[in-house]
Amino acid sequence: MNTPLRRLSVLILVMFFALMGAATWVQFFQASSLNADSRNVRTLYRDYGRDRGPIVVDGEPIAASEPVDDPFGYQRVYTDGPLYAPVTGWYGLYQLTGIERAAHTVLNGTDDSLLLSRIRTLFTGAEQGGGTVELTIDPAAQQAAWDALDGRRGAAVALDPETGAILAMVSRPSYDPNVLAGHSSAEVNEAYTELLEDEGDPLFNRTIGGNLYAPGSTFKLIDVAMLLETGEYEPETEIEAPTEYLLPGTQDTMLRNPGGGPCGGETVTLEYAVQESCNTPFAMLAVEHGDDALRAQAEAFGFGEPLAVPMDVTPSQFPADPDPAQTAMSAIGQFDVRATPLQMAMVSAAVANDGRLMRPYLIATERGPDLQVTSRTEPEELAQPISASTAATMTDLMVNVVANGTGAPGQISGVDVAGKTGTAETGSEEDFAPDAWFTAFAPAEDPQVVVAVVVEDGGAFGDEGTGASVAAPVARQIIQAVLDE
Amino acid sequence: MATVAPSRIRTGRAAEVWLFLLALALGIGGYALVGLNTGEALPENFGPYALTLVATAVVLHLVVRWRARHADPLLLPLALALNGIGLAMIHRIDIGLAARGQDAGFGPRQLIWTILGVTLAVLVIVVIRDHRILRRYTFTAMVAGIILLVLPMVPGLGSTINGARLWIQLGPYSFQPAELAKILLAIFFAGYLVTNRDVLTLAGPKVLGLQLPRLRDLGPLVVAWAACIGVLVVERDLGTSLLFFGLFVAMVYVATERASWIVIGLLMFAAGAVLAVSLFPHVADRFDIWLNALDPEIYNREFGGSGQVVRGLFGLALGGLMGTGWGEGFPHLVSYANSDFIVAALGEELGLTGLIAILMVYLVLAQRGIRMAIGVRDGFGKLLASGLAFTIAFQCFVVVGGVTRLIPLTGLTMPFMAAGGSSLVANWIVIGLLVRISDSSRRPAAEGRGEVVSADTAMIALSALSEEEPNDDGPRARNRSAPARVAGSAETDEDGRTEPLDRFGPDDQDDDPGTQHTEVVDRP
């Protein structure tokens, strides 16, 4: 019986080799893909036991981990949670969002840039702490935008046009990330479900998130850029401005100016058309130049392009194949044109920065646990959508809008503000109140801050609300806050 | 021819002491680390716990010195190491479960079961002075085994847990009788096969080159086989039936030395598997989970989904090469982390390195079992030792293979580690039996007389032997009234036979001679 016994022992050996092979396959070769699986909550759980680094605004932590006496060891705490929620996101048991997600490896100390410090802790035996992430947010601008949007649904973004640094990112209504960062999954789930079901969609980051807005008349900045870039137009160029424009290819669909009346006369200067935000001249010129030219200009400003700040920004859209009537509607920011507030701020920022569009970013510096800077964001040019002279001309046109036109509520004494209003009809049957837009930068001669503001459903003014009456004052308060420093 | 100078036979008892110390270090160290890493203090019952394990080792060692001096020194330390690591991990999962507000407290229960299991192993070693006694109970073992198997079907006694009717409920205690049936059936198979191996090997028709046994010789085997299939069908326990099947095929193969049995076995298995997949949705689910575990649709399925398997894989992946460390992982996120999925928990916290080390312990344990089967001189002992050793290996294969997705998942316990009293107690009894068999396997024939042969002489004697076809020893063995006289055992001497060479007489030809110690005297 010894021969079969020896064979049996070989069989046992083979069985165990197979097991070791299978274990190696799972634990070594498959490990990284399994660890990256979105259903795998272990990696999150593991981080809960770590001293996660803080998220810092202007030297003050807005998110930090505090030691607590529970199995996880640390609790994430958000100071001014709702104010910064669109930026920080939350660090939850099952989910990360915002900067918590985008800078996760830095905050938990596993990023490649922290390798040296990890090696050091290996020798010192100290616990590897997380890195620090410093944001570009200007707390004064953030607070001003927050206060100005109080009680309304809307969003505001502020940028430094010269660098692309994001100075404010506010979305209302907001939520408290602290309730989503709790350690009791039952409580977190309840809070999360409640927020998900809230009609105000507090979890949306309206500045960059999935819900896009029709940009309304602020889109005319792109029309103007396109026209000026052809070299055939100047502010004084006379253009047709009828009271009504029969949309090409339709029987009786008339496009009218805001308020329905004439817009200065049968022909007006380009400057006047921008100043009063006439609809018919831009619709007609868009049809004349074609949707391709308009789309190309929009894309030069970043429409359709994926962008990360480092959170993913939903790309703004210009319709792919509009007929002439749709092109006319698109030119005034209606039909299927959709944009994020950040995108409209980028349009203004390019104008403010001599035609050069800088890449927007939120993270200024990253530091290791020892506070050594491990990464510093260098401003980077994203594109040059318009020439410097076009930018200069557009600046003049936008200054005129605030000084003499629809943007008057955005005026600040002693400062030249350049801006553009927008009032976008949302189109739904029972919801006639338009979304109010305003995008601006100041001071016009040396721009320090660019803002884009959207207030949903006309704010408190209902269907009487316009970009000028609702959104421009918000933008003014943000600009004021930055300039006052 | 040179005569090798008489040398003192090494019993390995000193090595066993050191191995016991290592085993204790693993178990007690793991337990301490769990406490230090989860609560920054030693577990509150650390003292009693450590003392219990130390006392266990001391008792086992003394008993072996007393009653099984020549036993394999590896068996008990290996089993104790596995048991200790299992206890530490069960305690660690208790902490995780308690933190999530779930039922915990498996650790203390497992410690009590450990004490009971070790006590039974000691009893086996002390009471069963010679493993061949068990052969007398061949058919008693079969009947008892089958009764145990069907016990869960008795209304009011059996209870269904997770769809499998495997347990019997006695007051607050539940017991899985199949674990004990495993040992009884191994005894039955060994006794039956050693008696009937010639008939099974030679008689019967030949079909397609395969030597088929006669139907009447198959009778008792068919009964046992049917009982195992009954377990699968009625009790819905894939694991146990697979285990019995593996045990059965392996032992028949060892007994008959005929590959045809493996072919027949595999064909029967394939037929059974196909039938099971088509008849039972829960078996089909297992296959589905095995093949497409990561598929979201299967993962999210409410019943019969792959969630448990995939969460186990996530745990293994988090462990990676070096593991998270005792108490630093999240093994409790997997359901049944302390029983069916304790391997995933170990892989998570001890890493691939730790898991492979543990597998090596099992491998060594199983291989020592086979080694003693080769060494022991009676066919019954060979079959029993190899059957029991194979059970341990096969159980590991089925469990670890299921968790790592090498094979479909079937519910079986990891010997010595998984939480659960029946499994632990049964496996300690297995170790007790192996200790007993290894004692006679390793006991030198001429102990105390200093008669040791030269290797050359032994070879001559051996080659002379192998030319003779062994006879059936079954009936004769059963008719022995005197204590069985077996080559090389202490009884040989008491038998009054002074010529060790006599042991190569016809009485002993049923088996291959032992290879571990050659006990032929070199006669000039």
Side-chain angles (χ1 to χ4, degrees):
Chain A
M1 284 189 249
N2 283 353
T3 316
L5 282 176
R6 292 205 173 86
R7 292 203 184 121
L8 194 62
S9 82
V10 172
L11 172 71
I12 291 175
L13 200 64
V14 169
M15 283 179 357
F16 274 79
F17 280 156
L19 291 183
M20 292 175 196
T24 309
W25 177 251
V26 174
Q27 296 201 265
F28 185 71
F29 293 102
Q30 248 191 334
S32 51
S33 77
L34 286 171
N35 279 332
D37 196 298
S38 58
R39 292 166 291 190
N40 189 350
V41 294
R42 272 190 172 69
T43 27
L44 289 184
Y45 268 114
R46 180 173 55 174
D47 286 329
Y48 264 77
R50 283 199 188 157
D51 187 5
R52 192 177 172 85
I55 302 175
V56 172
V57 163
D58 196 28
E60 295 291 328
I62 57 169
S65 286
E66 289 176 4
V68 288
D69 190 22
D70 74 6
F72 292 110
Y74 287 94
Q75 168 70 55
R76 200 69 167 157
V77 174
Y78 297 88
T79 358
D80 285 331
L83 172 62
Y84 289 106
V87 180
T88 57
W90 75 88
Y91 173 61
L93 272 179
Y94 306 107
Q95 208 180 355
L96 307 175
T97 61
I99 287 289
E100 295 278 24
R101 182 191 186 91
H104 178 60
T105 55
V106 175
L107 292 169
N108 75 5
T110 61
D111 197 74
D112 288 344
S113 66
L114 302 176
L115 185 65
L116 270 180
S117 112
R118 274 206 302 283
I119 291 172
R120 219 171 294 136
T121 59
L122 205 61
F123 288 105
T124 58
E127 196 178 334
Q128 166 74 19
T132 299
V133 171
E134 289 177 316
L135 302 183
T136 55
I137 295 289
D138 175 341
Q142 184 84 3
Q143 189 66 51
W146 173 262
D147 293 342
L149 282 171
D150 188 23
R152 294 179 277 184
R153 291 185 199 176
V157 183
L159 297 175
D160 178 339
E162 271 180 58
T163 60
I166 296 173
L167 303 177
M169 180 178 268
V170 170
S171 175
R172 293 198 79 157
S174 190
Y175 61 94
D176 186 356
N178 287 305
V179 301
L180 298 175
H183 287 174
S184 150
S185 49
E187 284 170 26
V188 168
N189 280 338
E190 194 188 334
Y192 184 62
T193 313
E194 203 173 295
L195 287 167
L196 269 187
E197 287 167 358
D198 191 323
E199 290 198 358
D201 292 329
L203 291 174
F204 281 6
N205 179 352
R206 291 171 154 80
T207 58
I208 59 169
N211 50 337
L212 300 167
Y213 297 93
S217 298
T218 54
F219 192 79
K220 287 171 191 163
L221 290 174
I222 293 165
D223 303 345
V224 173
M226 184 268 287
L227 294 173
L228 292 175
E229 285 288 292
T230 62
E232 297 161 19
Y233 295 85
E234 289 184 6
E236 291 74 33
T237 307
E238 289 283 335
I239 52 177
E240 278 187 77
T243 305
E244 289 184 332
Y245 170 50
L246 177 69
L247 288 179
T250 67
Q251 297 301 315
D252 53 359
T253 309
M254 306 301 268
L255 189 145
R256 296 183 176 81
N257 290 308
C263 197
E266 279 305 298
T267 63
V268 295
T269 61
L270 181 60
E271 181 179 38
Y272 185 82
V274 175
Q275 175 189 315
E276 298 303 325
S277 202
C278 305
N279 282 342
T280 53
F282 290 108
M284 292 171 75
L285 288 168
V287 172
E288 185 186 329
H289 288 272
D291 60 296
D292 287 341
L294 212 48
R295 186 181 307 105
Q297 187 62 61
E299 284 173 358
F301 281 112
F303 274 69
E305 287 294 315
L307 180 72
V309 294
M311 295 96 87
D312 286 335
V313 181
T314 310
S316 301
Q317 310 157 3
F318 187 85
D321 188 23
D323 63 27
Q326 291 165 343
T327 304
M329 294 297 290
S330 300
I332 58 170
Q334 301 285 180
F335 184 54
D336 281 347
V337 180
R338 294 290 181 274
T340 57
L342 178 68
Q343 176 61 62
M344 296 321 292
M346 286 162 68
V347 172
S348 292
V351 174
N353 195 36
D354 302 327
R356 290 190 299 134
L357 175 61
M358 306 303 287
R359 178 185 289 279
Y361 64 94
L362 257 173
I363 297 181
T365 54
E366 294 169 1
R367 294 172 189 273
D370 49 5
L371 297 183
Q372 294 277 359
V373 173
T374 53
S375 161
R376 187 185 296 279
T377 308
E378 295 299 331
E380 183 193 341
E381 188 176 307
L382 190 63
Q384 174 123 28
I386 49 175
S387 67
S389 64
T390 300
T393 310
M394 286 181 73
T395 304
D396 293 341
L397 292 174
M398 289 170 75
V399 169
N400 185 51
V401 168
V402 177
N404 308 311
T406 55
Q411 286 170 6
I412 299 171
S413 68
V415 180
D416 278 343
V417 177
K420 181 70 194 83
T421 57
T423 308
E425 278 161 29
T426 45
S428 54
E429 285 292 323
E430 60 277 14
D431 176 23
F432 283 105
D435 290 342
W437 279 88
F438 192 70
T439 178
F441 57 89
E445 60 278 8
D446 176 25
Q448 289 172 27
V449 56
V450 175
V451 293
V453 175
V454 66
V455 180
E456 289 177 28
D457 301 337
F461 293 86
D463 53 8
E464 294 298 308
T466 62
S469 59
V470 177
V474 177
R476 187 188 66 219
Q477 287 173 54
I478 301 170
I479 292 171
Q480 192 97 52
V482 176
L483 296 185
D484 280 352
E485 286 175 30
Chain B
M1 226 176 277
T3 301
V4 177
S7 64
R8 190 168 152 65
I9 304 295
R10 295 167 69 106
T11 58
R13 294 278 75 83
E16 190 179 64
V17 171
W18 291 109
L19 288 168
F20 264 130
L21 287 179
L22 266 175
L24 289 173
L26 282 174
I28 296 173
Y31 197 69
L33 282 173
V34 168
L36 291 173
N37 286 343
T38 54
E40 289 178 9
L42 288 176
E44 49 185 70
N45 58 349
F46 179 72
Y49 171 88
L51 272 178
T52 308
L53 280 196
V54 171
T56 303
V58 170
V59 167
L60 282 173
H61 181 71
L62 292 179
V63 166
V64 166
R65 270 187 186 271
W66 175 40
R67 277 295 164 87
R69 211 157 76 74
H70 293 283
D72 189 322
L74 265 65
L75 295 173
L76 291 168
L78 291 179
L80 190 67
L82 292 170
N83 197 159
I85 294 171
L87 275 166
M89 183 48 81
I90 290 166
H91 173 62
R92 186 266 166 278
I93 291 167
D94 273 350
I95 292 174
L97 291 177
R100 302 186 90 203
Q102 294 171 358
D103 274 349
F106 294 94
R109 261 175 274 170
Q110 186 80 349
L111 190 62
I112 291 172
W113 285 116
T114 304
I115 297 168
L116 186 63
V118 169
T119 309
L120 287 173
V122 166
L123 274 178
V124 166
I125 297 170
V126 172
V127 171
I128 303 176
R129 300 292 300 273
D130 187 319
H131 62 270
R132 284 164 301 177
I133 291 168
L134 292 172
R135 190 170 166 185
R136 296 179 194 156
Y137 304 105
T138 299
F139 286 91
T140 317
M142 179 185 86
V143 173
I146 290 176
I147 287 176
L148 280 180
L149 270 184
V150 299
L151 217 47
M153 301 316 301
V154 178
L157 196 59
S159 71
T160 306
I161 302 179
N162 308 316
R165 198 175 171 90
L166 266 187
W167 285 262
I168 51 171
Q169 196 79 39
L170 292 171
Y173 299 100
S174 61
F175 199 80
Q176 209 174 330
E179 290 285 349
L180 283 179
K182 167 177 91 179
I183 302 172
L184 291 168
L185 286 181
I187 293 172
F188 160 65
F189 284 147
Y192 180 79
L193 289 170
V194 86
T195 311
N196 297 297
R197 51 189 291 236
D198 289 348
V199 183
L200 290 172
T201 311
L202 300 172
K206 208 167 188 176
V207 176
L208 296 170
L210 290 178
Q211 183 78 53
L212 294 183
R214 287 182 306 191
L215 212 55
R216 62 189 164 100
D217 299 321
L218 270 176
L221 283 181
V222 168
V223 171
W225 167 256
C228 298
I229 292 298
V231 170
L232 170 66
V233 175
V234 187
E235 302 181 9
R236 308 205 140 196
D237 180 29
L238 207 56
T240 306
S241 103
L242 190 64
L243 177 69
F244 287 152
F245 184 80
L247 176 70
F248 174 75
V249 171
M251 288 180 73
V252 170
Y253 170 65
V254 172
T256 62
E257 310 196 10
R258 287 205 174 263
S260 59
W261 281 99
I262 299 181
V263 176
I264 295 170
L266 287 180
L267 284 176
M268 286 167 86
F269 176 74
V274 169
L275 203 66
V277 168
S278 53
L279 283 183
F280 307 116
H282 71 283
V283 180
D285 279 351
R286 295 280 171 93
F287 268 84
D288 224 11
I289 291 167
W290 175 47
L291 294 170
N292 309 304
L294 292 168
D295 189 314
E297 193 262 319
I298 292 177
Y299 179 83
N300 291 322
R301 206 184 279 169
E302 196 173 346
F303 297 106
S306 66
Q308 186 189 22
V309 175
V310 172
R311 279 190 286 274
L313 291 177
F314 286 158
L316 289 171
L318 183 75
L321 280 186
M322 304 306 294
T324 57
W326 280 112
E328 307 274 3
F330 306 92
H332 48 278
L333 294 182
V334 188
S335 30
Y336 301 102
N338 55 16
S339 52
D340 290 15
F341 268 71
I342 198 160
V343 173
L346 291 162
E348 178 169 354
E349 300 212 321
L350 306 182
L352 180 62
T353 327
L355 188 56
I356 285 186
I358 289 168
L359 287 176
M360 292 298 282
V361 172
Y362 281 107
L363 177 59
V364 171
L365 194 58
Q367 295 289 21
R368 294 305 286 195
I370 301 289
R371 183 68 191 77
M372 80 180 61
I374 290 175
V376 81
R377 291 152 194 107
D378 67 303
F380 176 74
K382 277 179 188 296
L383 281 171
L384 185 56
S386 60
L388 294 176
F390 185 74
T391 317
I392 293 176
F394 194 65
Q395 241 176 309
C396 284
F397 181 73
V398 170
V399 175
V400 182
V403 170
T404 56
R405 225 151 64 88
L406 182 66
I407 56 170
L409 183 71
T410 39
L412 264 187
T413 53
M414 197 70 178
F416 299 106
M417 284 191 164
S422 19
S423 164
L424 191 61
V425 165
N427 282 302
W428 271 111
I429 294 175
V430 166
I431 286 292
L433 287 172
L434 288 179
V435 164
R436 172 48 64 222
I437 299 172
S438 75
D439 183 45
S440 44
S441 167
R442 299 175 82 249
R443 187 180 302 157
E447 191 186 18
R449 281 192 282 168
E451 291 164 329
V452 177
V453 293
S454 80
D456 293 0
T457 314
M459 288 314 292
I460 292 163
L462 289 174
S463 59
L465 246 181
S466 57
E467 281 156 19
E468 264 180 88
E469 197 56 54
N471 298 320
D472 174 30
D473 75 322
R476 188 186 56 244
R478 259 180 288 153
N479 291 337
R480 276 177 191 152
S481 51
R485 182 183 50 76
V486 156
S489 67
E491 288 88 344
T492 309
D493 309 325
E494 294 155 13
D495 238 12
R497 298 191 180 237
T498 48
E499 296 298 342
L501 255 182
D502 278 354
R503 65 176 213 81
F504 288 106
D507 269 4
D508 296 290
Q509 284 179 5
D510 57 319
D511 298 312
D512 308 287
T515 51
Q516 195 155 7
H517 300 286
T518 46
E519 33 310 75
V520 185
V521 172
D522 185 15
R523 290 192 292 191

